Amino acid sequence: MLKRVNHIAIAVPDLGEASEVYRALGVPISEPQVLPEHGVRVCFLEFANVKLELLEAIGDGSPIAKFLGRNPAGGVHHICYDVDDLVHVAATVKNAGVRLLGNEQPKIGAHGHPVLFAHPSDLSGVLTELRA
Amino acid sequence: MLKRVNHIAIAVPDLGEASEVYRALGVPISEPQVLPEHGVRVCFLEFANVKLELLEAIGDGSPIAKFLGRNPAGGVHHICYDVDDLVHVAATVKNAGVRLLGNEQPKIGAHGHPVLFAHPSDLSGVLTELRA
């Protein structure tokens, strides 16, 4: 069902500064990508087994602006899991008492895959992305 | 240097409830372990590529009690990375402007390995464990 962690997303106030620290620690880092339709600029930290995604807010309506308002130094914003079948997983998630966000329908996420988000309050405070 | 994410630790108010949700989502979960000397009870969620560690506070002086006070629903408490050489990494981390916690000397962590912790304010708000 939830088989693999696809990435751990960290909201950061300044993508350049955050990248520089991880680069100094020997972590391979992707070039920044601007995703205006998602209100973020991102870099990936490529660890051997999993990716970390650094997210910087762009524009006034960025979905991570509120999080950064509450956590000005940054912090873990969400964890994303790979799943095989989003419709089946959605039903299982709801049966487990976990609320889905939005209209509960998959939408295309920041990286071109269909995704759903589950409510952090129902998953130990962790905003959870499910990605097909 | 930082090569692999060893685990992502999530502080939870109730280990039984938190485990139950992940079990319902098909995630293999270890039996709970009580680590009284570290003030926690833990379960591991065994994903294909990385582990999540659920941490519940035990005792009054639990190191996660303050975090749970600020985040009553739970949340990501730290990310732990595997490193080859803790002394070398400690020097590199400090050169990169990242403060180490405590007396900057490795100590034996919850799972019997020498570990160091780096300051969340210097790493995008993420408390960071380095494990040899």
Side-chain angles (χ1 to χ4, degrees), chain A residues 57-81:
Chain A
I58 55 172
D60 290 339
S62 173
I64 63 165
K66 214 160 98 181
F67 179 91
L68 282 166
R70 285 196 311 270
N71 304 277
V76 175
H77 183 263
H78 67 266
I79 298 180
C80 175
Y81 299 95

Side-chain angles (χ1 to χ4, degrees), chain B residues 86 105-109 113-117:
Chain B
L86 215 43
Q105 297 305 308
K107 57 177 188 176
I108 299 303
H113 287 250
V115 299
L116 281 169
F117 279 89

Side-chain angles (χ1 to χ4, degrees), chain A residues 1 3 5 25 48-49 74-75 124, chain B residues 1 3 5 25 48-49 73-75 124:
Chain A
M1 190 91 65
K3 291 192 173 159
V5 175
L25 302 179
N49 56 332
S124 308
Chain B
M1 190 90 65
K3 292 193 173 157
V5 175
L25 302 179
N49 56 332
S124 307

Side-chain angles (χ1 to χ4, degrees), chain B:
Chain B
M1 190 90 65
L2 270 58
K3 292 193 173 157
R4 196 176 167 282
V5 175
N6 182 282
H7 64 265
I8 305 144
I10 299 175
V12 304
D14 184 303
L15 194 61
E17 272 181 29
S19 306
E20 202 177 318
V21 171
Y22 284 100
R23 192 173 286 121
L25 302 179
V27 182
I29 303 186
S30 73
E31 284 300 305
Q33 283 178 269
V34 181
L35 304 172
E37 68 283 26
H38 293 282
V40 291
R41 207 159 69 99
V42 310
C43 276
F44 286 103
L45 311 184
E46 309 273 0
F47 291 96
N49 56 332
V50 69
K51 282 177 298 198
L52 259 68
E53 183 182 56
L54 303 181
L55 300 172
E56 182 189 64
I58 54 172
D60 289 339
S62 174
I64 63 166
K66 213 160 99 181
F67 179 91
L68 282 165
R70 286 195 310 271
N71 304 276
V76 175
H77 182 263
H78 67 264
I79 299 180
C80 175
Y81 300 94
D82 288 322
V83 304
D84 288 332
D85 177 340
L86 215 43
V87 173
H88 178 61
V89 168
T92 309
V93 162
K94 288 173 68 181
N95 280 340
V98 175
R99 287 164 287 173
L100 294 171
L101 299 185
N103 65 358
E104 304 189 353
Q105 297 305 308
K107 57 177 188 176
I108 299 303
H111 308 292
H113 287 250
V115 299
L116 281 169
F117 279 89
H119 203 299
S121 301
D122 299 336
L123 281 159
S124 307
V126 182
L127 176 61
T128 297
E129 182 177 10
L130 306 168
R131 166 183 150 136

